[in-house]
Amino acid sequence: MKTETYKLGIVEDKELRFAVIVSKFNGKFVYGRHKKRETWEIPGGHREVNENIALTAERELKEETGAVKFNIEPVCDYSVKREGQVQDYGRVYYANIEELGELPNFEIEEIKLFDYIPEKLTYPEIQPILLKYVMKYKIEKLISNFKLRRIYAQYFENLDEVKKEIERLIPENASIGIGHSATLQKMGITKTFIDKGNIVYDKELAKDKKECKEIKKKALIADWYITGSNAVSVDGRIINVDHSGNRVAAITFGPDKVIIVVGINKIVDTWQEGIKRVKNIACPLNAERAGFNPPCVTLKKCVDCSSIERVCNSLSIIEGQSLESRIKVFIVNESLGF
Ligand code: SF4
């Protein structure tokens, strides 16, 4: 089987027989499980006779997810060629679902939200290719919107590539502050730079609370600061929450150079969705990891608590910067962190 993608305008409308809709809701990808299958699939289906392909996409999205309110846009066309069969063509859409209603009683038994690509896919030779195309399209938009705000953003296929680039950028004698991030821990970035002889301020190395606080303060005036982000939006914003505020402070001002590493699961369309993602997805998971117990840990959603255990005391939205490229955002084609 061979799957190919095409920019819009190359494939003739009359060839298009399917619509596939890569969909997000609350910052996660929406997949459906067909009543006759145990695997997951991106919403989509056949075009009816004389139906406008855009209407096919809207109809299938409603039928297969229960979407009530959404924004939808065409992204590309695709073809699938199976051995001994004619080439089939379809159009790929991206939909941002704002409101989900009840799932209509058609072919889909249930829907589920995933960070990126689930293991059990119905069409493993087709749908990952389409999803990655859509995300690259989104990332290109994000990079150009960041550029307008003087923030540099770059795409990487995997964490190894990012790590090599960070090692290339940071000189031997530079001091480095580390903002706590599951992504950076996965990269082993602290050990890498300690082994190279850099001074690294990482609170994870502290023996006690007093030293932890000192390290956080020193990180604020390091030459470089490396951290993750809770969300980045296609409209060009970086959204973070913090318990004590050290990480959002360092991103905003202090270190002359800041590198933010984010996985593809952190990309949302707008800053408003970024806040929703941060409060309803990142906070409960981060709170649990850090041993705090605000209400969102149990409820799995934010209730704007005033708990002493609140992990989102500071909320930061970076909308631009005066110093060109002080902040660099490295986007990785993997689902990383919370
Ligand atoms: S305000 Fe409270 S409930 Fe909401 S995300 Fe923050 S810690 Fe959780």
Side-chain angles (χ1 to χ4, degrees):
M1 184 191 291
K2 192 174 175 196
T3 303
E4 288 185 278
T5 50
Y6 312 89
K7 284 191 171 172
L8 294 174
I10 293 172
V11 178
E12 280 190 64
D13 178 79
K14 64 175 188 199
E15 301 283 357
L16 300 169
R17 296 185 53 232
F18 301 93
V20 175
I21 311 102
V22 171
S23 311
K24 280 191 113 177
F25 177 66
N26 275 350
K28 292 205 172 200
F29 291 98
V30 183
Y31 289 82
R33 185 175 65 76
H34 193 280
K35 285 180 175 163
K36 293 180 183 167
R37 295 190 271 267
E38 292 302 317
T39 48
W40 297 99
E41 50 210 69
I42 296 173
H46 281 89
R47 182 182 194 177
E48 290 179 358
V49 180
N50 294 329
E51 188 178 41
N52 182 305
I53 190 71
L55 293 178
T56 308
E58 288 194 19
R59 177 179 54 73
E60 290 290 347
L61 182 67
K62 288 178 191 165
E63 288 178 6
E64 300 213 338
T65 68
V68 177
K69 201 172 162 197
F70 52 86
N71 296 310
I72 188 166
E73 59 175 319
V75 176
C76 66
D77 292 328
Y78 74 100
S79 67
V80 175
K81 176 85 175 79
R82 293 177 174 87
E83 218 178 307
Q85 292 185 14
V86 292
Q87 199 157 11
D88 257 337
Y89 291 90
R91 178 156 292 173
V92 182
Y93 288 79
Y94 173 80
N96 188 21
I97 301 173
E98 288 174 26
E99 192 183 331
L100 279 175
E102 212 165 297
L103 182 64
N105 189 17
F106 289 108
E107 296 165 338
I108 298 299
E109 179 70 30
E110 59 171 330
I111 61 164
K112 195 170 172 183
L113 306 178
F114 288 89
D115 273 339
Y116 199 21
I117 303 172
E119 272 182 30
K120 291 182 178 175
L121 266 181
T122 307
Y123 306 105
E125 290 166 285
I126 304 171
Q127 295 202 333
I129 293 171
L130 307 185
L131 179 56
K132 283 179 181 173
Y133 189 102
V134 170
M135 287 318 291
K136 274 203 166 175
Y137 163 83
K138 286 287 187 188
I139 290 166
E140 277 166 24
K141 275 191 175 182
L142 179 150
I143 289 172
S144 63
N145 283 334
F146 269 124
K147 198 173 172 192
L148 292 173
R149 294 161 187 272
R150 293 165 300 285
I151 296 169
Y152 177 83
Q154 190 176 344
Y155 173 81
F156 295 85
E157 269 304 322
N158 55 55
L159 267 186
D160 284 345
E161 281 184 13
V162 176
K163 197 171 173 183
K164 275 186 199 138
E165 178 62 3
I166 294 175
E167 287 187 61
R168 190 188 70 77
L169 285 170
I170 300 185
E172 274 177 18
N173 54 356
S175 59
I176 304 164
I178 302 289
H180 184 79
S181 142
T183 304
L184 296 188
Q185 281 188 330
K186 193 174 174 192
M187 288 168 85
I189 205 84
T190 297
K191 183 175 182 317
T192 299
F193 280 102
I194 287 175
D195 290 349
K196 282 171 151 237
N198 293 81
I199 297 170
V200 181
Y201 301 115
D202 182 345
K203 69 169 186 154
E204 297 299 311
L205 303 174
K207 333 184 256 305
D208 51 35
K209 275 191 174 176
K210 187 168 171 261
E211 194 184 9
C212 178
K213 195 173 175 188
E214 279 165 16
I215 289 175
K216 284 183 190 172
K217 284 187 175 175
K218 284 179 181 162
L220 290 176
I221 49 166
D223 300 320
W224 288 73
Y225 195 76
I226 315 172
T227 187
S229 179
N230 299 127
V232 289
S233 58
V234 175
D235 64 11
R237 271 91 165 183
I238 303 163
I239 303 108
N240 279 294
V241 292
D242 233 350
H243 177 237
S244 56
N246 62 300
R247 192 170 62 105
V248 295
I251 295 172
T252 311
F253 184 80
D256 284 340
K257 297 281 180 188
V258 176
I259 294 174
I260 297 176
V261 183
V262 287
I264 210 150
N265 51 318
K266 306 286 183 71
I267 298 175
V268 294
D269 280 83
T270 61
W271 63 267
Q272 292 93 335
E273 282 183 19
I275 293 176
K276 269 200 232 166
R277 181 191 192 281
V278 166
K279 297 268 186 172
N280 297 297
I281 298 175
C283 279
L285 293 170
N286 274 319
E288 204 169 1
R289 176 194 52 76
F292 292 102
N293 192 25
C296 53
V297 170
T298 310
L299 300 171
K300 303 293 175 220
K301 64 172 186 178
C302 176
V303 288
D304 191 19
C305 75
S306 51
S307 160
I308 186 76
E309 308 254 314
R310 182 175 170 133
V311 289
C312 58
N313 292 313
S314 306
L315 167 67
S316 145
I317 304 172
I318 302 281
E319 303 205 87
Q321 58 182 342
S322 54
L323 289 175
E324 181 102 36
S325 295
R326 174 181 167 265
I327 300 176
K328 295 183 185 344
V329 179
F330 291 166
I331 301 151
V332 192
N333 186 17
E334 292 178 21
S335 177
L336 296 168
F338 309 136

